[in-house]
Amino acid sequence: MCKKYGVEKWIDFRESKNLVEDIREATDGRGAHAAVITAVHGYNQVIDYLRPGGTLVAVGMPGKATLDARIFFTVVKAINIVG
């Protein structure tokens, strides 16, 4: 099913022991172009695994949870954050 949509690799955050490393490995060290976060679990490491110029699309609204978007890395990596 994933191949039908052009997906070459799939990483399940529930099965991953180190999400950032797994995503970097799957992208030859560059990081993901984009992340669409639909649940509270995805926000914690997103800035670390997006590539420079990458985009975070925040869809999930996990109550009182916060997004730790460290200004330094957000600016240096030119990360886009949209909702």
Side-chain angles (χ1 to χ4, degrees):
M1 170 108 167
C2 288
K3 286 281 188 186
K4 176 180 174 183
Y5 298 105
V7 175
E8 295 177 11
K9 298 178 183 173
W10 175 263
I11 300 165
D12 188 332
F13 75 91
R14 295 170 296 182
E15 297 175 6
S16 174
K17 294 196 183 340
N18 187 321
L19 189 60
V20 174
E21 280 186 25
D22 290 347
I23 291 172
R24 290 214 175 272
E25 182 179 320
T27 60
D28 297 322
R30 295 182 298 249
H33 287 283
V36 179
I37 308 297
T38 60
V40 68
H41 303 290
Y43 287 104
N44 295 335
Q45 298 170 310
V46 68
I47 301 302
D48 296 332
Y49 66 70
L50 284 173
R51 69 176 56 201
T55 299
L56 160 62
V57 181
V59 178
M61 298 182 357
K64 296 181 182 181
T66 60
L67 169 63
D68 179 19
R70 293 175 304 272
I71 301 301
F72 180 82
F73 293 109
T74 303
V75 172
V76 168
K77 289 178 72 175
I79 299 295
N80 302 295
I81 302 173
V82 298

